[in-house]
Amino acid sequence: MPLTRRTLITGLTAAGAASLLSRPASAAPVPAPRTVVLRGRPAAEAERLRMQTVYRTTEFVPTGLYLPPGRALTLEVRANDGVLPVAHVGAADTNPDTAYRYPRGYALAEGVNTISDPGGGPVYLSMAGDRRARAVVRFGPEGVPTPTFVLAPSSGCGDPALATSRAWQGRAGFAAPVFAARGTTEAEFQAQVDTLTDAPFVELVSPQMIVTVRRETFLQVRDQDHAELMRLLEQVEDVEAAVSGLDGSSAPHAPTPLGRHLINVRPEYGPKSTAYATHAYTAYYDAYTTTRLLLPDKVRTTGWGVYHELGHQHQQMAWRPSELTEVTVNIYSLAVQRHFGMPSNLVTNKAYETALAKLPVTSYAGLGAFEKLVPFRQLELGFGDGFYPRVHRLVREERPASSSGDSARRFTLMALYFSRAAGHDLTTFLRAWAFPVPESGYAELAALGLPAPGIDLTALVER
């Protein structure tokens, strides 16, 4: 993948500022982080609107600190452009007191600040502003250092010679901060886990990922190759961004400089499933965290749940009626499977055989979960891997209005954008699968005057 996919999302090691996680010569535990240098980045909601996605991603920059409930933390702030950072305390759905389910934000002023939070939790920073803006945040000694693994640039995040250069920092068109130039070795990280025992969390950080894990969960599977784990998660995001057409060809299609936050949540939160996705984070219960999320080989071979949840943060509003929430998300999941050379779930679940036997379909809603996905994959088989990137780019360029409660309009927009991306009128294909596109939508499609496809798209299958 090009370096435009590799904008680092967390803390900047800069001249005159101490590293967020200084790296000792031996595998001794690192000292508590004291200084973070931030660069301006777009706000998460502004990025959501630019990308036209349903969910926004995270603005958080990890600090490597945990703040106990009620303890006062001092932060000294210096800024160069009048843009000031915000401190956040808490990782979503991890606090045993549900009153503190979501992180709490504290606006910081120039000079010395003191914050205290009744719920406590990991400490993060954010700074929404022009990429030229800089701020230095120096922490007092009150924070509790958290074991933090940082993927080194030489471990798969591009050319290490660029790691602290201006070229590296601005490759994606936005200035994203750099967390640590050299990263963390596995030995150093394991030493942190052994000695930094007061924080109830462990974090793993790479250019586009923050993984926050409750300590007791992490200890169950601590003996893993964490550099390989983070490289694989980076690849998952790269593939899904490519499907989304975030190719850097123009400003609307630039990869986001914001990251993805994956959180090991407590069992009392969220739906009773293995994982879920929402604004700012994706969530994973203990059972999935210890059998999939934290195991590199499982992420590569059976990581459908991770691909799926991150895919939700790539779904676009315009063509995601509620009926397709758990369907179109797997366009991204299938792409990641192909990237890792794994057989398609549509093949292993015999979805082609069972779905094609039902053609012409009388009720799309009556199809099975993987059967519903078959026509979406058939469009890629018919029009190539560039099909969905074209759809995403058209939607970002035109930003069509649609209401979350208006499924008819969203199915219409799906029909229109899919046909335009294909260069063909897909009416016959959509009717064969009984997609609930209203007749008014088909009339809009006919008015485009596109030719019919030259092949029977409904017959396309993978082997």
Side-chain angles (χ1 to χ4, degrees):
M1 303 301 292
L3 279 177
T4 53
R5 294 297 312 127
R6 301 298 188 181
T7 48
L8 300 182
I9 63 171
T10 47
L12 171 68
T13 299
S19 296
L20 180 59
L21 290 177
S22 60
R23 179 171 170 154
S26 68
V30 297
R34 291 292 179 264
T35 302
V36 179
V37 179
L38 299 170
R39 307 184 74 191
R41 297 189 295 174
E45 179 62 9
E47 279 293 270
R48 185 188 72 82
L49 293 174
R50 175 180 72 86
M51 295 187 292
Q52 289 290 286
T53 54
V54 176
Y55 293 132
R56 59 183 174 270
T57 185
T58 186
E59 301 172 335
F60 283 3
V61 173
T63 68
L65 290 175
Y66 168 78
L67 182 62
R71 180 179 296 183
L73 175 66
T74 57
L75 309 90
E76 183 179 1
V77 177
R78 294 289 180 265
N80 74 336
D81 198 26
V83 178
L84 293 166
V86 176
H88 307 267
V89 179
D93 295 357
T94 61
N95 198 302
D97 186 340
T98 57
Y100 305 107
R101 175 174 188 176
Y102 299 114
R104 284 74 59 197
Y106 299 90
L108 301 177
E110 187 88 17
V112 177
N113 301 256
T114 301
I115 66 171
S116 179
D117 185 86
V123 180
Y124 304 98
L125 294 170
S126 67
M127 192 170 77
D130 187 275
R131 64 178 183 174
R132 293 167 296 187
R134 301 287 190 279
V136 178
V137 180
R138 186 176 300 278
F139 290 90
E142 304 90 356
V144 176
T146 297
T148 306
F149 178 85
V150 184
L151 182 66
S154 59
S155 296
C157 293
D159 184 350
L162 295 177
T164 56
S165 72
R166 294 180 64 185
W168 174 270
Q169 294 157 15
R171 289 305 279 254
F174 295 106
V178 176
F179 185 78
R182 296 179 60 197
T184 312
T185 69
E186 188 64 38
E188 290 168 348
F189 177 53
Q190 293 292 343
Q192 291 180 46
V193 174
D194 286 335
T195 57
L196 303 180
T197 59
D198 291 338
F201 296 94
V202 172
E203 291 201 308
L204 311 168
V205 178
S206 62
Q208 302 169 101
M209 297 285 157
I210 309 167
V211 181
T212 302
V213 186
R214 290 161 37 241
R215 180 180 175 86
E216 65 268 26
T217 306
F218 177 83
L219 291 177
Q220 298 177 46
V221 287
R222 63 178 293 177
D223 295 325
Q224 303 295 319
D225 183 341
H226 294 100
E228 178 65 8
L229 173 65
M230 300 312 289
R231 282 194 294 265
L232 291 169
L233 291 176
E234 287 284 307
Q235 291 176 48
V236 173
E237 174 58 21
D238 283 347
V239 170
E240 297 195 355
V243 173
S244 301
L246 293 168
D247 57 6
S249 57
S250 64
H253 310 314
T256 181
L258 304 181
R260 309 286 169 182
H261 198 173
L262 291 68
I263 302 177
N264 165 225
V265 298
R266 295 181 65 87
E268 58 263 40
Y269 289 104
K272 298 306 176 186
S273 59
T274 57
Y276 55 95
T278 186
H279 287 292
Y281 65 101
T282 57
Y284 307 87
Y285 291 112
D286 285 355
Y288 191 88
T289 301
T290 57
T291 62
R292 295 290 188 276
L293 178 62
L294 294 183
L295 307 182
D297 185 61
K298 297 299 184 181
V299 169
R300 186 182 64 81
T301 59
T302 56
W304 182 270
V306 182
Y307 319 157
H308 176 100
E309 301 308 337
L310 289 174
H312 276 305
Q313 293 192 330
H314 287 276
Q315 285 178 295
Q316 290 184 309
M317 298 179 288
W319 51 285
R320 201 220 67 174
S322 59
E323 296 93 328
L324 296 181
T325 298
E326 298 299 333
V327 180
T328 59
V329 63
N330 288 324
I331 293 169
Y332 313 95
S333 309
L334 289 173
V336 179
Q337 278 193 321
R338 295 193 297 276
H339 171 76
F340 288 136
M342 303 306 297
S344 168
N345 271 10
L346 296 181
V347 174
T348 57
N349 288 282
K350 301 186 182 302
Y352 288 107
E353 297 174 26
T354 59
L356 269 59
K358 298 176 182 179
L359 289 170
V361 172
T362 57
S363 169
Y364 179 78
L367 294 173
F370 283 111
E371 292 174 341
K372 290 178 178 179
L373 187 58
V374 167
F376 291 96
R377 178 61 179 143
Q378 286 181 323
L379 291 170
E380 285 180 306
L381 296 175
F383 300 111
D385 289 343
F387 175 76
Y388 286 113
R390 290 194 294 274
V391 171
H392 284 81
R393 287 193 292 267
L394 282 170
V395 170
R396 280 196 294 274
E397 289 164 3
E398 299 180 4
R399 300 165 65 100
S402 67
S403 167
S404 61
D406 189 351
S407 288
R409 185 59 192 163
R410 290 192 174 188
F411 272 112
T412 293
L413 289 171
M414 182 192 77
L416 294 172
Y417 281 108
F418 281 18
S419 293
R420 290 174 60 194
H424 295 278
D425 186 322
L426 297 178
T427 296
T428 300
F429 175 79
L430 297 170
R431 287 192 186 278
W433 285 106
F435 280 104
V437 178
E439 290 305 314
S440 60
Y442 282 124
E444 287 187 60
L445 181 49
L448 296 178
L450 296 171
I455 59 173
D456 180 5
L457 296 167
T458 65
L460 299 177
V461 298
E462 296 173 278
R463 300 299 180 188

